[in-house]
Amino acid sequence: MTNALQPNSNHEFEVQDIMINMGPQHPATHGVFRMVLAVDGEIVRDLIPHIGYMHRGAEKLSETMDFRQGIGFMDRTEYLAQFNAELAYVMAVEKLMDIEVPERAQWIRMILCELNRLSSHFMFTGAFGADAGVFGTSFIYAFRWREEILDLFEEITGDRLMYAYFRPGGLAWEVTDNFVERVHQVLALSRQGIKDVDGLVTNNEIFKARTQGVGVLTKEQAIDWGTTGPVLRASGVAMDVRRDEPYLFYDQVEFDIPVGQNGDVYDRWCLRIEEMRQSVRIVEQCLTKLQPGPIQPERMPRMLRTPPGEVYIRTEAPRGEFGIYMVSKGGNRPHRLKVRSSCFANLQSLRDMSIGQYVADAVLALGSMDIVLCEVDR
Amino acid sequence: MKGILKSMATTLSTFARKPVTREYPETHKELPERDRAFPVLLWDKEVHEPFCTGCHACERACPVECMTVLMKDNPAHKSVGGESSRRKIIDKFWIDYGRCMRCNICVEVCNFDAITMNNTWEGHEKSVYDRADLVQDLPMLLSEHRSGELKPWVNE
Amino acid sequence: MSTLFGLPVALDALIRVLIIVGVMTVVVMGLIYIERKVLARFQQRLGPTRTGPMGLLQSVADALKLVAKEDVRPTNADPWVFELAPFLVFVPTFLGFVVVPFALAWSVRDLDLGLFYILAVSSVNIIGWVMAGWASDNRYAMLGALRAVAQSISYELPLVMALIAVAMVADSLNISEIVRGQAVVPNIVWQPLPFLMFFICMLAEMNRPPFDIPVGESEVVGGPYVEYSGIRWSMFFLAEYASMFIMALLGAAVFLGGSAWPLGEQLGLPWQILLTVVKAGAIIFVVIWTRASFPRLRIDQLMSFSWKLLLPVSFAQIMVNGLILVYDLPYGMSHTLLAVCSAAGVLFVASAINRSVTRPRPRPVLISRSEAAR
């Protein structure tokens, strides 16, 4: 890794690369992330990422929280796909305790997780458009359409961003009476939003010129680095946890998984737009299958105590495979909670994506991976 | 060239729409009934005392330990000549809004339905110049419901 | 050369200078406000609303803030070059105001070489950028300045060629003559390709998106202006908006018929001014529209676009124009030929843009969930 920094004595003159520091505070680094680029003119020769600026000890803190208190911490671990993080946590507890979740709760969980995927992908389109230089327009569009989804979540759970709504066994409380109509409304607005964002950016020739052939990750490289989610699927590997190990009721709905062929930044953009459309499709199917019923099993103890054991749960978060590995030694707290963070694995592939490309392209490659620093650092 | 024209057509169609900006603080959004701002205590109008008996259940359940609770014998209990059926009553109660993470667990564990989340705009507009001013004591926590402004959401 | 109201020459010149300064300052501040409001509407939001009624005093507030800032100068900055650089960027754009016509007889000076003058004067700001980048004693400022200069020079050439093509058709370099010659049909009908090139090069000259690499916000640093603060920075900023105004007026005059079309001569002065303002406003609207819609081009893509596409096409346009005009064909035939060739040029440019990015590449496939996993 340090070879690039040695003077290159093949030339007549001694050539040394300049180190550019894209520091923790930078408009393009999506949170507190630092990369040190060794550049030769404009070409990146090496990339050294520095993470850990946002480490808050979430995993260690979770060892002091019982199974209801820890849900709020999972929200804050992945603050753009909160329902997904909460879901993984409560699924781990349910598996340890062998709890059967009522059907209605599962369908509602599925609807909320897919809506959360929609809002997270809207955020991606906004932030990535801002990286590519569409001055603010895609950012404002994305947030305007995301507001509709967040308003719905506020009506149901009471909070716009940190829901703490799932509980082991089901949901904390019943959804609002007009839930189905509201979700239909939000879906109609989201369709308009996807159309807007798609029309603004996807076919734009300048955008294509910026993103095609940039940040390429081959199939072998993607598998080697352990990437998952849209980054992996854009490189041609058809792997999606919702299809391979279905949780909730993903085996009862029809949806498609977009798989890219070129592994570049443009493919990742198109893939996420297509995933947004598929999410809308999934939510519509779930709404037809929603029946009245209980949202918690009948006999739930006040204080949950899990038998000793360990479990690994994987879910398909918007950014990849979000996994929870929980070890319990009896009692009402996890003995060890490990979060398999999708962004952490994806971030390792940044170096392979950026070497040989221009500096501006390294910024785009970082943006296309859609990282959330809270998840990388926990 | 078509993509460029399509981008421009999308922006032009947005130009024709009405702006969605809400001019805060002159206009406020209508908060939903379940909105979760910070916790406040409820006042029992029939016997003129708080519902809270100081049982420490919420204090123990809080993930971030933001509450301090002290209970006392109720001077208005029936056995000493009052009208209330609460043997113990809350003496002092502090919640540090700076630590609270609004997770709603205190509301869920309360046996007496004495605490709820504030769902008004006053619950959200809590800016102060000194972080110590965020610590709320018992009269401050009771004032919202006592004055009648609060219509708390009750989860059946 | 007649003077205003028969005043002595020196006083007359002074009054004209004051007119320029006064009008331009007000216009530039108004233009900043208009851009913020219009850009906000493209994004479905309101622009400034709090400073003054409907936010009208926002530019004044910005100007006051910039004037009150501390004048920071790097220790190792070359003092004279650092001081003079903003002036060299700012003054030439104001000088361009001298020849643009507002109405048929209303420009500050009606020069016979008007077009030549404005092109010459507007390229002096390149030196200003180099001075700014060099004097800042900052590696990134120098890089940014060199990029800005490279971009400017590359797009200067097609701009000049486009305007020469129109001058050939109008047979004069005097802008008022060109305007008068459009009393029946505006030049854009005969020469759409030069208008397209003029528009693109205008965006590049002013460092506006999609050509705003030198002042890119999410790039490494802020370009040649990074070490300037307060009023010096505001001079660079105002120069950009002033040149936007000048170029819009020039485009309206040379291509869209200025104050002469549709019925300029007949309907008198207020109508002519209205026409000019509306046409310049339309061009400015489209400039802001492109800012809201497009991502930024990378520096190498920008350069290859200019040198490999725009410049050869502009040369071809001039040669075709010359070929058609050298034979004294009747008006109808010559002008129809001009229009047809130019329209063909526009189609060629559009298809070249298409072909450069839409190489056939495999599209994402949709795999249904029920297909067996791997």
Side-chain angles (χ1 to χ4, degrees), chain C residues 143-155:
Chain C
L143 282 174
L146 289 177
R147 282 193 198 175
V149 163
Q151 177 183 309
S152 232
I153 295 180
S154 315
Y155 282 88

Side-chain angles (χ1 to χ4, degrees), chain A residues 360-375:
Chain A
D361 294 341
V363 169
L364 279 184
L366 178 66
S368 76
M369 282 202 301
D370 193 18
I371 55 172
V372 163
L373 259 304
C374 271
E375 211 198 353

Side-chain angles (χ1 to χ4, degrees), chain B residues 38-50:
Chain B
F38 291 102
V40 289
L41 291 174
L42 296 176
W43 181 258
D44 190 350
K45 293 189 173 58
E46 284 151 33
V47 284
H48 306 292
E49 63 183 12

Side-chain angles (χ1 to χ4, degrees), chain A residues 65-66 68-73 75-76 137 141 144-145 147 151 154-160 162-165 167 172-177 192 195-201 203-206 302, chain B residues 1-8 10-15 17-18 20 22 29-37 59-64 100-105 108-111 124 153 155-156:
Chain A
M65 304 284 153
D66 67 38
R68 180 167 45 185
Q69 293 170 331
I71 294 174
F73 280 73
D75 272 338
R76 285 150 177 87
T137 309
Y141 282 9
R144 181 252 178 283
W145 296 112
E147 277 304 297
D151 278 346
E154 193 181 9
E155 283 174 30
I156 302 172
T157 65
D159 209 310
R160 280 161 49 89
M162 302 294 163
Y163 310 121
Y165 184 52
R167 297 280 186 271
W173 49 81
E174 183 59 72
V175 292
T176 49
D177 293 331
Q192 172 65 43
K195 210 167 78 147
D196 263 356
V197 173
D198 199 20
L200 179 70
V201 177
N203 288 315
N204 194 325
E205 271 87 12
I206 303 178
R302 279 195 119 191
Chain B
M1 200 70 183
K2 272 192 318 198
I4 291 183
L5 293 172
K6 190 163 178 205
S7 296
M8 294 179 83
T10 311
T11 359
L12 195 63
S13 76
T14 333
F15 187 77
R17 292 181 211 162
K18 199 162 162 290
V20 289
R22 205 180 278 124
K29 180 178 98 150
E30 181 85 34
L31 286 175
E33 197 194 6
R34 302 184 183 190
D35 194 72
R36 263 184 0 226
E59 191 185 5
R60 279 192 296 253
C62 179
V64 288
C100 172
M101 70 185 220
R102 296 180 292 115
C103 60
N104 211 48
I105 292 182
E108 283 177 36
V109 299
C110 180
N111 296 311
H124 285 289
W153 172 62
N155 176 25
E156 275 93 41

Side-chain angles (χ1 to χ4, degrees), chain A residues 18 26-28 42 131-137 140-141 144 200 204-210 212 238-239 243-244 250-251 253-262 264 266-267 274 358 360-361, chain C residues 39 42-45 139-140 147 209-210 212-213 217-221 291-301 353-354 357-359 361-374:
Chain A
I18 309 177
H26 195 280
E42 281 263 341
D131 270 347
V134 187
F135 170 78
T137 309
I140 305 259
Y141 282 9
R144 181 252 178 283
L200 179 70
N204 194 325
E205 271 87 12
I206 303 178
F207 183 75
K208 282 190 199 169
R210 276 311 290 279
Q212 283 179 351
M239 207 183 107
R243 186 190 64 160
D244 302 332
Y250 280 109
D251 46 358
V253 290
E254 279 304 310
F255 61 98
D256 293 331
I257 301 161
V259 173
Q261 308 289 321
N262 299 295
D264 60 8
Y266 188 66
D267 262 358
E274 191 54 48
Y358 294 113
D361 294 341
Chain C
L39 197 61
F42 275 120
Q43 298 166 355
Q44 229 181 331
R45 59 184 176 92
R139 180 196 316 167
Y140 297 117
R147 282 193 198 175
D212 64 340
I213 287 265
E217 288 126 28
S218 70
E219 299 296 311
V220 186
V221 281
R291 179 179 187 179
S293 316
F294 296 155
R296 203 173 279 145
L297 275 174
R298 218 170 49 205
I299 187 81
D300 61 318
Q301 292 165 342
I353 295 177
N354 253 355
V357 288
T358 342
R359 256 171 250 114
R361 40 180 272 144
R363 302 178 51 90
V365 287
L366 291 172
I367 300 185
S368 161
R369 183 207 59 79
S370 33
E371 260 181 53
R374 275 190 293 167

